[in-house]
């Protein structure tokens, strides 16, 4: 969850309440990584450290990095080695057996700088195992937020705070940075929300609604929910987010 754009501020408490499912699903990515005792692992975009802790429990030596000081404070509260760091400027050289990342790479909208840093951080033979939002992720939510901005004369497309690559283009980027791609796939994963769409948008939609005067944001939020309800709210009032994951495993030769 590194590198929030302008208007996106992280609050570990909101995140745990409205997106507590993120580390739960992330355990599948931990399983794909298959951390081994004694391995040195970098958790890129570690957030509040729930999955970093799972890697430590598997016996690995783990460093977590995230751009959000609030998240890093929460991760340190778990007793983890967690550091505030910009994903575009990873300060490690051949230091890790693996780099792991869950639900974070899509916030890092300069992927080449990130991949260069990951390649640098890994020892030869080291692996890069990750999942992030992929092509089509939260498409309905994004269109609804763009629509409420458009009604107010704002074209929000240039300021979309997310990067959701398709497998072919991301595989090409990995290869360009010297990785061998072992697998890469797009996984549609409609995700029931633990609270509701207002909580999700308030937690993650700051890059959109933050462009509006504060007094107008509640009305804009209500309009976005009204647009989304026919697609993402079921008959019992439960909301689902239209998540699509890009999951991959690659290694440095
Ligand atoms: C995601 O995990 O795919 C995601 C979360 C919040 C905003 C955008 C994407």
């Amino acid at each position: 969850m590194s590198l929030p754009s302008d208007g996106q501020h992280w609050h570990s408490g909101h995140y745990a309440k409205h997106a507590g499912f993120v580390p739960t699903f992330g355990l599948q990515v931990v399983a794909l990584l298959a951390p081994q005792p004694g391995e040195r692992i970098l958790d890129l975009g570690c957030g509040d450290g729930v999955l970093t802790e799972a890697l430590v429990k598997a016996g690995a030596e783990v460093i977590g990095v995230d751009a959000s000081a609030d998240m890093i404070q929460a991760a340190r509260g778990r007793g983890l080695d967690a550091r505030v760091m910009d994903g575009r400027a990873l300060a490690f050289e051949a230091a890790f057996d693996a780099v792991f990342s869950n639900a974070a790479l899509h916030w890092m909208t300069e992927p080449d700088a990130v991949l260069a840093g990951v390649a640098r951080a890994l020892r030869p033979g080291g692996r890069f195992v990750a999942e992030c939002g992929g092509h089509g992720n939260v498409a309905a939510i994004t269109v609804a937020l763009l629509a409420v901005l458009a009604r107010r004369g704002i074209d929000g497309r240039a300021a979309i705070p997310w990067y959701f690559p398709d497998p072919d283009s991301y595989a090409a980027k990995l290869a360009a940075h010297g990785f061998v791609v072992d697998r890469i796939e797009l996984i549609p994963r409609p995700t029931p929300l633990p609270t509701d769409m207002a909580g999700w948008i308030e937690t993650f939609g700051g890059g959109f609604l933050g462009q509006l005067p504060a007094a107008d944001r509640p009305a804009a939020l209500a309009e976005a929910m009204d647009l989304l309800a026919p697609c993402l709210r079921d008959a019992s009032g439960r909301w689902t987010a239209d998540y699509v994951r890009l999951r991959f495993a690659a290694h440095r030769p």
Side-chain angles (χ1 to χ4, degrees):
M1 64 211 58
S2 307
L3 295 183
S5 66
D6 290 345
Q8 178 69 57
H9 300 290
W10 295 107
H11 183 284
S12 55
H14 292 169
Y15 191 85
K17 179 174 174 202
H18 296 295
F21 55 85
V22 171
T24 308
F25 282 114
L27 287 172
Q28 297 171 9
V29 192
V30 172
L32 181 61
L33 174 70
Q36 301 300 308
E39 276 195 318
R40 294 159 304 154
I41 299 177
L42 175 67
D43 184 356
L44 173 54
C46 66
D48 61 7
V50 176
L51 291 177
T52 322
E53 204 167 33
L55 300 175
V56 169
K57 284 194 175 134
E61 285 173 33
V62 190
I63 296 175
V65 296
D66 202 286
S68 160
D70 186 69
M71 289 292 189
I72 287 298
Q73 198 179 353
R76 285 188 183 149
R78 298 177 192 276
L80 298 166
D81 181 347
R83 309 175 188 183
V84 177
M85 198 175 287
D86 185 327
R88 296 166 296 190
L90 294 174
F92 304 103
E93 289 223 9
F96 296 102
D97 301 300
V99 175
F100 168 85
S101 184
N102 181 59
L105 291 172
H106 49 253
W107 293 108
M108 305 178 204
T109 53
E110 293 177 41
D112 287 302
V114 175
L115 288 173
V118 172
R120 221 172 30 242
L122 284 170
R123 64 159 172 81
R127 58 207 196 280
F128 181 26
V129 176
E131 184 176 293
C132 61
H135 184 66
N137 193 40
V138 295
I141 300 173
T142 305
V143 171
L145 290 168
L146 289 174
V148 300
L149 291 181
R151 284 177 183 171
R152 289 156 174 80
I154 298 171
D155 183 348
R157 287 175 294 181
I160 290 176
W162 307 314
Y163 163 68
F164 299 139
D166 63 80
D168 287 348
S169 61
Y170 204 74
K173 278 198 185 302
L174 284 162
H177 287 276
F179 287 97
V180 174
V181 180
D182 301 304
R183 60 182 277 184
I184 186 162
E185 60 190 320
L186 210 51
I187 306 169
R189 197 199 69 201
T191 302
L193 296 178
T195 54
D196 61 11
M197 188 54 73
W200 193 96
I201 292 175
E202 281 162 1
T203 305
F204 297 119
F208 296 89
L209 298 187
Q211 298 183 48
L212 299 174
D216 189 28
R217 288 179 205 156
L221 173 62
E223 285 174 38
M225 290 178 63
D226 198 43
L227 287 168
L228 287 166
C231 304
L232 297 182
R233 190 176 65 191
D234 70 14
S236 65
R238 186 142 192 221
W239 287 91
T240 295
D242 49 339
Y243 275 30
V244 178
R245 317 317 290 165
L246 181 72
R247 185 181 292 175
F248 61 89
H251 67 274
R252 265 197 65 186

